Amino acid sequence: PGLDVLAKRAGLLYFGTAIDNVVLNNTAYVTIAHNRSEFGQVTPSNGLKWMYTEPSRNVFNYTMANEIIKPAIKAHQIRRCHTFVWHNQLPDWLTSKNYTKPELIGILENHIKHEARAYYDKCYAWDVVNEAFNDDGTLRDDLWLQTIGPEYIELAFRFARKYTSPWTRLYYNDYGIERVNNKSLALQKVVKDFVKRGVPIDGVGLQAHFTVGRAPSYNDTRSALNLFTKLGLETALTELDVRVDLPDTAAKQKTQADVYAASVKACVDEESCVGVTVWDFWDPVSWVPSTFPGYGNACLWDDALKRKPAYYAISDML
Ligand code: XIL
């Protein structure tokens, strides 16, 4: 049985993967990506980001996203949709002009309205806001904070609730919150306030981009998830990968396998955690080598499209 089959038996809702458009011409890759027994859930790595979905103001394009969402629907894989509001991968029209606060709020609502309606019944969850915090727990000094102020986060959730289906889970998603630290505690405080005031948030996604030798332990991840379990929220590991400082060795692959298995186990054991998504499953197409020079081999399948020790560590643990 594949990872999703095993994950479901262990009580998760899904084991999933991100898929990028650049590999869709590779049949061997696509066959695994949409193999329902390996992956019960799919996230488009890029296609639902602002620069692709609204490349010119009020002109919407879902070509890239649909190349991944449509086959996922056909294969009965649920979809996590990523992402409405982020500081990165924004179109030029948005970043190269100074909008006023009311203008930018209008732009935000219009963007969320169109995307949410286009995918009304197609997303199990939406990452409504992505990476809004700095590591020290302050808010990232980006376009949204500078022009709208801290309330942009709350506004995004309210707009998302207004236009998505009532059963779409609305998530806050970030990296570096897989331990109890300044960042996860600051987020917990904001989420707690949202819950108290009825701001519509359903879940928190821990991206879980880890590095061999520096990764959070099982206990770290469980405690971090528990910050949000305690608030009654759903949680998930949304972008799991474990990069290796190259050159790779058998010992590093073993450590990587342990990190993958411990991370998935933390989700299985934590009541609120519904599933684990890996941020692609094939080493050559991972975002890691181009983003972190000197690092690579972060995924479950190697260059030859063969399953790695990390794959078997997860499947043995489940
Ligand atoms: C990455 C994609 O994988 C890359 O292809 C793209 O060039 C940059 O973005 N956190 C996120 C994801 O929330 O959207 C990022 O995806 C990886 C880090």
Side-chain angles (χ1 to χ4, degrees):
L3 296 177
D4 184 69
V5 171
L6 295 171
K8 284 186 165 80
R9 283 184 200 164
L12 295 183
L13 190 61
Y14 60 80
F15 190 95
T17 186
I19 302 178
D20 208 347
N21 297 72
V22 290
V23 251
L24 295 179
N25 54 3
N26 181 326
T27 325
Y29 174 93
V30 172
T31 303
I32 300 173
H34 290 294
N35 176 347
R36 171 61 202 277
S37 80
E38 293 291 9
F39 302 117
Q41 177 271 325
V42 157
T43 307
S45 310
N46 284 296
L48 287 170
K49 291 169 178 174
W50 203 312
M51 64 183 286
Y52 300 114
T53 54
E54 195 182 358
S56 312
R57 190 169 174 179
N58 206 29
V59 176
F60 291 86
N61 186 323
Y62 303 111
T63 310
M64 271 178 69
N66 284 340
E67 282 176 9
I68 288 155
I69 298 284
K70 286 195 170 166
I73 292 173
K74 235 175 154 176
H76 302 284
Q77 298 167 303
I78 65 173
R79 286 77 52 192
R80 293 194 84 265
C81 292
H82 173 83
T83 173
F84 285 139
V85 187
W86 192 24
H87 68 276
N88 212 351
Q89 293 183 282
L90 295 169
D92 285 342
W93 66 267
L94 191 50
T95 52
S96 62
K97 203 182 139 191
N98 283 319
Y99 295 96
T100 65
K101 178 171 170 172
E103 268 176 334
L104 196 58
I105 291 175
I107 286 169
L108 181 66
E109 175 162 13
N110 189 58
H111 180 76
I112 292 177
K113 178 171 89 180
H114 279 84
E115 258 192 288
R117 286 183 173 165
Y119 290 94
Y120 188 77
D121 57 353
K122 296 185 173 58
C123 303
Y124 165 78
W126 262 106
D127 290 331
V128 175
V129 176
N130 195 36
E131 303 182 350
F133 283 86
N134 295 312
D135 290 345
D136 66 3
T138 57
L139 287 179
R140 187 188 292 273
D141 191 22
D142 62 10
L143 167 75
W144 307 108
L145 186 72
Q146 282 166 13
T147 310
I148 301 179
E151 69 265 35
Y152 84 85
I153 301 177
E154 163 171 358
L155 282 171
F157 277 94
R158 292 194 188 280
F159 295 148
R161 189 72 296 157
K162 189 166 159 193
Y163 299 112
T164 57
S165 81
W167 53 87
T168 304
R169 266 74 156 176
L170 304 182
Y171 272 66
Y172 177 84
N173 192 54
D174 213 330
Y175 64 88
I177 54 170
E178 301 84 3
R179 291 184 167 91
V180 176
N181 56 23
N182 289 335
K183 192 172 186 175
S184 59
L185 287 169
L187 173 61
Q188 187 198 34
K189 215 169 141 197
V190 167
V191 170
K192 192 172 180 181
D193 171 62
F194 280 11
V195 171
K196 196 172 123 207
R197 291 191 295 112
V199 178
I201 181 168
D202 303 304
V204 173
L206 283 61
Q207 291 185 5
H209 292 294
F210 296 151
T211 306
V212 164
R214 281 186 272 142
S217 67
Y218 167 88
N219 283 324
D220 290 334
T221 304
R222 265 210 79 179
S223 309
L225 290 166
N226 194 255
L227 294 175
F228 307 102
T229 310
K230 280 193 291 214
L231 301 180
L233 262 75
E234 183 171 302
T235 60
L237 301 184
T238 53
E239 305 186 10
L240 176 62
D241 57 16
V242 184
R243 57 186 178 263
V244 173
D245 191 352
L246 300 172
D248 204 350
T249 63
K252 288 179 190 174
Q253 288 210 16
K254 168 76 175 84
T255 310
Q256 177 186 54
D258 293 343
V259 172
Y260 263 107
S263 306
V264 176
K265 186 164 170 47
C267 181
V268 167
D269 291 349
E270 185 68 20
E271 193 193 331
S272 67
C273 193
V274 293
V276 176
T277 308
V278 290
W279 204 246
D280 225 305
F281 59 91
W282 192 29
D283 283 336
V285 295
S286 163
W287 72 305
V288 165
S290 57
T291 315
F292 307 96
Y295 289 83
N297 291 7
C299 303
L300 300 178
W301 272 258
D302 70 11
D303 290 3
L305 210 54
K306 271 183 49 196
R307 294 176 175 85
K308 290 160 62 173
Y311 176 98
Y312 295 105
I314 297 173
S315 101
D316 288 349
M317 181 278 302
L318 281 171

